[in-house]
C-alpha cells in the first residue's frame, strides 16, 4: 500500500516532543495577558459599538471554566499550505473563510503572542469571543436542557429519551450498549457513561437491509449535533405506521442513531466549557482544561498525519495510537459490525456503484457538507458520487459541499476511516453558525434545514453511490386513498432531476426517461421491476408530472404502499418515494324482499364478479355464480331459499 510521504509526518514533529506539554501561564499572568490581548484585538478592527464587545469587558480567567483570557481570533493564514500546520497547532474551529483567507481559532494570550511572532495576522472575532465568555445561566423558566440552552437535552436527558423510545415502541426501537466512555473505563474517577445506540427497524421484515448510521457529539462542544440526531430518531419513530416514508424506511432499512458518542466531554461542555475532546488525562497531558484526545483525529486510516497534533495538550491531539480511545474503539467495532468492507483500504479502488450503507457524523459549525478525503486534494475513488449525494443533501440544508480538505487538512477523522476502510459513503455535516448555537436559531433554521437532509440520507443508504444521481420523486398522491378492492385509483407524482445545491460544478440537468411504480416493496427489494408510469406529455425535460391508473384487482384488504421511482436519460434510477392506499373488502349486505333473500354489493363500473359460497365462515368457498357484470347503482343477486344449513357468501372481482 502506498502512503504519501507527508501523511506520516506531523506538521509539528520538528519542534515538539510527544507527551510533553508546554507550560501554561498562571492565572494572574493569564489575566494580565488576556486584557492586553483584548485591547490589541479591539484596535484590530472589531466593531466597538457592538454589544458583543461590551461583553468582553467581563474578560479575565473564569475560575469555573478556566477559559479566562482566551479569545476567538480570525487567523489569516496567508498561503493555503499553512492551514495544516495551523490546524495542528491551535484550536482551529471547523470554519474557514477562504475568500477572506482566515480560519477561526480560540487562542490563549500566549498563543496570540506566539502566533503574531510567527508573522500571522490576527483579528479578534468579537461576537464569537462574547459567546466564549458567556457564563452558563439558566434560561427562565428552565426545567430541562443545558443551562442557558433549554432546546438541547443533556447527556442524561438524551439517555432517558432513548429509553423512552424503546419502551414505548418495542416493535421498532431497541437501545444497544456499544461500549463505555473513557471515564467509565478508568477506575477511581468520574462514573462515566455507557455509549448507547438506538436501532430503528421493523425486525418482522427480514434483512439484510441497507443501514444508515447517524452520529452526534463526537466533538463535545458542538451542542446542536446530539439534539439533531435525537429529534430525527424521534420523528422517524413517531411517523412509523402513519407516515409512508417513515414506515417504509423502517420496514426496509435500518437506522442506527448514536446521539452522544463523547458523553464525558459533552458533560464538560454542558457547564459552558468549549470542550472539544474526550476527557482522557492520562495520555501525557493532565492540565485542565487542555487534556483530552480529539476523537475526530484518532481514527485509523492514515492516523498520525497532517492536521492532527502529537502534543497531548493540543485541541487536535490525535492520541497515542489509532483508535486509542474507548469511544472510538466502540465506534470502530460497531461500524465494522454494521458494514462489510466494500473496497480494499487503498487510495485507488472505488466501492462498486451497488454498494450500500451511509454514515453521517454531525459536527458544528459553518454550514458545510464534507466528504472524504481530508488528507489529500486528490479525489476519493468514489469522489464524484460522494459529491453528487452531498449536493443532494445541500438541496435541503443549502450548505456548501466539498471534500474535507477544502476546510483544512485532517487525518484520523471518522469519515475518512469509514470510507477508507469500509467503502461506505461517509459525510460530516457542519451544522449552523456556532458551537453554542442560540435556541431560536436552532429551532428556526438549523434543525428545519437539516431534517429533510437526514431523511434523504436514510433513504440514500440503499444505494448512495448511484441512485442520488437519478431523479427524485416528490408529491406522490393516490386518489381516492381508500377504495374497494377491484376499483381503479389515480396515481400522481412528480419526477425532478434538478434537486442539487452547494457544488461549484453541479451535475448537468438530465432528462427524465422513465418512471415506474411497485406495490408494497421498493423496486428490486422483492424482485419486482414495477409497472410504467406515464408523463403528462412527452418525457422531454428534467421535471415531469407523472400519472398512472392502478387496477387494484386482487389486492388484499388492508393498507398498501405504492412506491414510485424515476429514471434519467443515462439509465440511472433515483430513490423511491411512497404513498399509502387502503383497500377495503367489498361490503356485502343481505336483505329480505318479497321474493326472498337478496345479496347486495357496491357498483364497480366495468367490472365482472364471481359470487362464492361455503357452509363455513372461514374457508371452503367455491364459485357458484360467475360472469356477473356490474350494474349501477348497486349489484344484487337473488339467493336460493336457505336450507337446513347456514350458507356464507363472498364476492370476487375478476381481473
Ligand atoms: Zn467537530
Amino acid at each position: 500500500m502506498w502512503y504519501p510521504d507527508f501523511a506520516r509526518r506531523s506538521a509539528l514533529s520538528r519542534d515538539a516532543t510527544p507527551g510533553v506539554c508546554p507550560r501554561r501561564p498562571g492565572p494572574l499572568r493569564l489575566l494580565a495577558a488576556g486584557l492586553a490581548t483584548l485591547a490589541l484585538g479591539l484596535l484590530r478592527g472589531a466593531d466597538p459599538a457592538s454589544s458583543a464587545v461590551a461583553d468582553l469587558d467581563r474578560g479575565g480567567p473564569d475560575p469555573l471554566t478556566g477559559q479566562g483570557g482566551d479569545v476567538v481570533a480570525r487567523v489569516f493564514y496567508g498561503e493555503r499550505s499553512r492551514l495544516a500546520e495551523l490546524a495542528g497547532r491551535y484550536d482551529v474551529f471547523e470554519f474557514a473563510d477562504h475568500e477572506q483567507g482566515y480560519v477561526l481559532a480560540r487562542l490563549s494570550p500566549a498563543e496570540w503572542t506566539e502566533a503574531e511572532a510567527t508573522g500571522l495576522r490576527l483579528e479578534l472575532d468579537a461576537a464569537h469571543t462574547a459567546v466564549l465568555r458567556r457564563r452558563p445561566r439558566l434560561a427562565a423558566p428552565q426545567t430541562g436542557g443545558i443551562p442557558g440552552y433549554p432546546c438541547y437535552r443533556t447527556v442524561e436527558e438524551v439517555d432517558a429519551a432513548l429509553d423512552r423510545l424503546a419502551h414505548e415502541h418495542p416493535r421498532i426501537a431497541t437501545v444497544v450498549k456499544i461500549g463505555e466512555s473513557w471515564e467509565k473505563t478508568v477506575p477511581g474517577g468520574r462514573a462515566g457513561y455507557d455509549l448507547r445506540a438506538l436501532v430503528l427497524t421493523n425486525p418482522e421484515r427480514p434483512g439484510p437491509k441497507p443501514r444508515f448510521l447517524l452520529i452526534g457529539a463526537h466533538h463535545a462542544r458542538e451542542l446542536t449535533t446530539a439534539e439533531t440526531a435525537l429529534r430525527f430518531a424521534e420523528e422517524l419513530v413517531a411517523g412509523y405506521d402513519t407516515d409512508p416514508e417513515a414506515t417504509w424506511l423502517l420496514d426496509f432499512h435500518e437506522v442506527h442513531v448514536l446521539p452522544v458518542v463523547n458523553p464525558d466531554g459533552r458533560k464538560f461542555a454542558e457547564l459552558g466549557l468549549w470542550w472539544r475532546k474526550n476527557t482522557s488525562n492520562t495520555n501525557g497531558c493532565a492540565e485542565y482544561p487542555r487534556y483530552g484526545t480529539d476523537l475526530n483525529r484518532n481514527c485509523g486510516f492514515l492516523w498520525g498525519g497532517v492536521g492532527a497534533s502529537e502534543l497531548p495538550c493540543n485541541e487536535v491531539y490525535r492520541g497515542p495510537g489509532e483508535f486509542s480511545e474507548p469511544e472510538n474503539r466502540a465506534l470502530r467495532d460497531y461500524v465494522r459490525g454494521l458494514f462489510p468492507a466494500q473496497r480494499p483500504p487503498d487510495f485507488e479502488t472505488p466501492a462498486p456503484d451497488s454498494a450500500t450503507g451511509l454514515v453521517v457524523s454531525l459536527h458544528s459549525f459553518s454550514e458545510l457538507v464534507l466528504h472524504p478525503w481530508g488528507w489529500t486534494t486528490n479525489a476519493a475513488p468514489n469522489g464524484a458520487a460522494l459529491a453528487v449525494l452531498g449536493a443532494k443533501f445541500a438541496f435541503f440544508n443549502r450548505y456548501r459541499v466539498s471534500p474535507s480538505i477544502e476546510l483544512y487538512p485532517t487525518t484520523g477523522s471518522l469519515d475518512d476511516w469509514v470510507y477508507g476502510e469500509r467503502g461506505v459513503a461517509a459525510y460530516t455535516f457542519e451544522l449552523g453558525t456556532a458551537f453554542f448555537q442560540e435556541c431560536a436559531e436552532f429551532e428556526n433554521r438549523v434543525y428545519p434545514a437539516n431534517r429533510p437532509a437526514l431523511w434523504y440520507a436514510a433513504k440514500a443508504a440503499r444505494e448512495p453511490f448511484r441512485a442520488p444521481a437519478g431523479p427524485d420523486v416528490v408529491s406522490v398522491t393516490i386518489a381516492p386513498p381508500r377504495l374497494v378492492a377491484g376499483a381503479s385509483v389515480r396515481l400522481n407524482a412528480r419526477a425532478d432531476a434538478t434537486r442539487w445545491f452547494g457544488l461549484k460544478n453541479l451535475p448537468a440537468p438530465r432528462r427524465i426517461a422513465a418512471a415506474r411504480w411497485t406495490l408494497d416493496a421498493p423496486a428490486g427489494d422483492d424482485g419486482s421491476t414495477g409497472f410504467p408510469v406515464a408523463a403528462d406529455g412527452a418525457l422531454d425535460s428534467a421535471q415531469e408530472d407523472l400519472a398512472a391508473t392502478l387496477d387494484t384487482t386482487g389486492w388484499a384488504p388492508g393498507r398498501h404502499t405504492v412506491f414510485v421511482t424515476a429514471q434519467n436519460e443515462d439509465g440511472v434510477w433515483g430513490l423511491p418515494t411512497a404513498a399509502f392506499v387502503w383497500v377495503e373488502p367489498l361490503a356485502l349486505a343481505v336483505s329480505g324482499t318479497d321474493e326472498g333473500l337478496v345479496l347486495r354489493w357496491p357498483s364497480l363500473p366495468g367490472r365482472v364478479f364471481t359470487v362464492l359460497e361455503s357452509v363455513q365462515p372461514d374457508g371452503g368457498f367455491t364459485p357458484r355464480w360467475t360472469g356477473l357484470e356490474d350494474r349501477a347503482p348497486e349489484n344484487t343477486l337473488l339467493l336460493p331459499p336457505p336450507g337446513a344449513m347456514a350458507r356464507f357468501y363472498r364476492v370476487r372481482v375478476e381481473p
Side-chain angles (χ1 to χ4, degrees):
M1 196 160 83
W2 171 83
Y3 284 96
D5 182 41
F6 71 85
R8 279 292 178 202
R9 202 175 64 227
S10 164
L12 291 182
S13 58
R14 67 188 177 281
D15 58 9
T17 310
V20 176
C21 218
R23 229 187 98 73
R24 307 281 302 172
L28 282 177
R29 277 156 56 207
L30 202 63
L31 172 63
L35 292 175
T37 303
L38 285 175
L40 280 173
L42 291 171
L43 286 175
R44 278 177 172 78
D47 176 12
S50 84
S51 62
V53 172
D55 261 12
L56 296 183
D57 293 340
R58 297 161 46 223
D62 181 333
L64 170 67
T65 66
Q67 45 204 18
D70 291 8
V71 295
V72 178
R74 296 175 181 176
V75 182
F76 291 83
Y77 49 78
E79 299 288 322
R80 274 293 269 272
S81 55
R82 284 201 79 179
L83 270 177
E85 178 204 340
L86 291 178
R89 184 185 294 268
Y90 302 118
D91 182 6
V92 173
F93 301 167
E94 286 143 28
F95 174 93
D97 185 332
H98 291 313
E99 275 169 29
Q100 307 228 35
Y102 69 85
V103 290
L104 286 179
R106 181 179 67 179
L107 297 183
S108 69
E111 285 168 336
W112 181 292
T113 306
E114 177 205 279
E116 277 192 324
T118 65
L120 286 167
R121 183 160 74 89
L122 306 177
E123 209 172 76
L124 181 77
D125 188 303
H128 282 295
T129 302
V131 180
L132 174 69
R133 296 297 177 84
R134 191 179 300 155
R135 306 296 184 277
R137 273 183 304 240
L138 285 177
Q142 184 169 348
T143 54
I146 293 172
Y149 300 88
C151 57
Y152 308 122
R153 279 168 278 188
T154 63
V155 174
E156 288 77 9
E157 287 166 345
V158 170
D159 269 343
L162 296 182
D163 287 333
R164 196 164 50 244
L165 283 173
H167 178 73
E168 292 174 358
H169 305 272
R171 209 178 124 213
I172 51 167
T174 319
V175 176
V176 295
K177 174 181 171 178
I178 70 159
E180 294 178 343
S181 71
W182 182 85
E183 301 277 7
K184 189 153 186 177
T185 63
V186 175
R190 294 183 188 84
Y193 296 90
D194 287 340
L195 307 177
R196 305 168 85 224
L198 182 69
V199 184
L200 302 177
T201 195
N202 170 13
E204 285 163 26
R205 191 177 286 273
K209 302 177 181 182
R211 287 166 166 162
F212 171 48
L213 171 61
L214 179 64
I215 297 162
H218 208 204
H219 283 148
R221 64 194 174 189
E222 300 168 4
L223 293 192
T224 53
T225 63
E227 187 65 29
T228 297
L230 181 56
R231 286 195 192 185
F232 166 73
E234 288 172 332
E235 285 188 10
L236 262 184
V237 169
Y240 188 75
D241 254 352
T242 55
D243 174 79
E245 293 284 289
T247 306
W248 84 258
L249 281 171
L250 296 191
D251 279 342
F252 291 91
H253 291 194
E254 283 178 26
V255 176
H256 298 250
V257 182
L258 274 124
V260 183
V261 75
N262 176 13
D264 295 342
R266 171 68 177 218
K267 210 60 211 167
F268 278 20
E270 289 175 10
L271 298 171
L273 283 172
W274 283 29
W275 199 276
R276 169 185 172 94
K277 305 186 281 182
N278 73 355
T279 63
S280 159
N281 61 6
T282 55
N283 283 337
C285 177
E287 180 194 339
Y288 175 86
R290 305 286 175 186
Y291 56 75
T293 296
D294 184 347
L295 297 179
N296 209 29
R297 300 291 184 277
N298 179 245
C299 297
F301 203 80
L302 295 183
W303 172 87
V306 290
S309 176
E310 60 193 36
L311 297 174
C313 285
N314 191 284
E315 286 295 341
V316 289
Y317 174 51
R318 67 196 190 191
E322 66 178 41
F323 293 113
S324 61
E325 305 309 295
E327 294 87 354
N328 275 353
R329 283 199 301 275
L331 199 47
R332 175 197 64 193
D333 296 346
Y334 196 62
V335 166
R336 283 179 176 163
L338 290 181
F339 304 107
Q342 300 178 112
R343 62 179 290 275
D346 61 17
F347 306 125
E348 301 88 21
T349 313
D353 282 354
S354 58
T356 69
L358 181 59
V359 175
V360 172
S361 186
L362 299 175
H363 284 252
S364 71
F365 58 94
S366 65
E367 304 191 323
L368 293 174
V369 172
L370 302 174
H371 59 80
W373 302 113
W375 56 276
T376 174
T377 53
N378 294 336
N382 294 92
L386 287 165
V388 164
L389 176 51
K392 202 69 101 169
F393 293 143
F395 169 78
F396 300 106
N397 62 19
R398 314 311 276 183
Y399 290 179
R400 213 151 44 80
V401 182
S402 74
S404 301
I405 195 166
E406 290 278 314
L407 182 59
Y408 44 70
T410 53
T411 50
S413 71
L414 180 69
D415 51 6
D416 271 8
W417 172 75
V418 167
Y419 172 72
E421 188 194 280
R422 311 315 285 170
V424 170
Y427 292 83
T428 296
F429 286 12
E430 295 286 355
L431 304 180
T433 54
F435 294 136
F436 284 64
Q437 189 91 55
E438 293 294 339
C439 281
E441 185 72 3
F442 175 73
E443 301 288 5
N444 296 329
R445 288 194 58 221
V446 177
Y447 187 71
N450 284 283
R451 175 192 174 282
L454 295 176
W455 280 70
Y456 192 87
K459 196 184 276 201
R462 62 190 293 105
E463 214 177 33
F465 295 132
R466 180 161 56 195
D472 290 340
V473 173
V474 297
S475 307
V476 180
T477 60
I478 292 180
R482 289 182 179 276
L483 65 141
V484 171
S488 294
V489 288
R490 190 77 177 155
L491 167 68
N492 285 96
R494 185 168 173 78
D496 191 337
T498 67
R499 308 214 305 169
W500 319 102
F501 189 80
L503 274 183
K504 276 187 213 126
N505 299 308
L506 289 172
R510 310 305 289 163
R511 188 173 54 81
I512 308 290
R516 64 186 173 188
W517 67 271
T518 53
L519 186 65
D520 292 333
D525 277 31
D526 64 351
S528 164
T529 53
F531 306 95
V533 180
D536 51 350
L539 285 168
D540 52 9
S541 71
Q543 292 172 307
E544 293 283 352
D545 287 322
L546 308 169
T549 300
L550 278 48
D551 176 359
T552 68
T553 299
W555 293 19
R559 191 186 69 202
H560 292 273
T561 309
V562 174
F563 294 81
V564 185
T565 50
Q567 187 186 40
N568 71 14
E569 59 183 300
D570 302 327
V572 180
W573 286 98
L575 292 163
T577 299
F580 284 151
V581 57
W582 285 264
V583 172
E584 288 155 0
L586 267 186
L588 292 181
V590 178
S591 56
T593 70
D594 292 346
E595 299 152 85
L597 293 179
V598 175
L599 190 63
R600 300 168 185 279
W601 67 96
S603 164
L604 288 175
R607 308 318 298 256
V608 175
F609 305 96
T610 298
V611 173
L612 305 94
E613 187 184 54
S614 175
V615 293
Q616 38 177 319
D618 300 327
F621 284 89
T622 53
R624 268 300 293 277
W625 297 272
T626 59
L628 303 172
E629 292 186 0
D630 185 71
R631 287 164 201 271
E634 186 182 44
N635 294 293
T636 58
L637 181 70
L638 185 61
L639 297 171
M645 290 177 72
R647 308 275 171 177
F648 299 88
Y649 297 94
R650 280 184 183 169
V651 175
R652 189 170 72 200
V653 187
E654 296 304 334

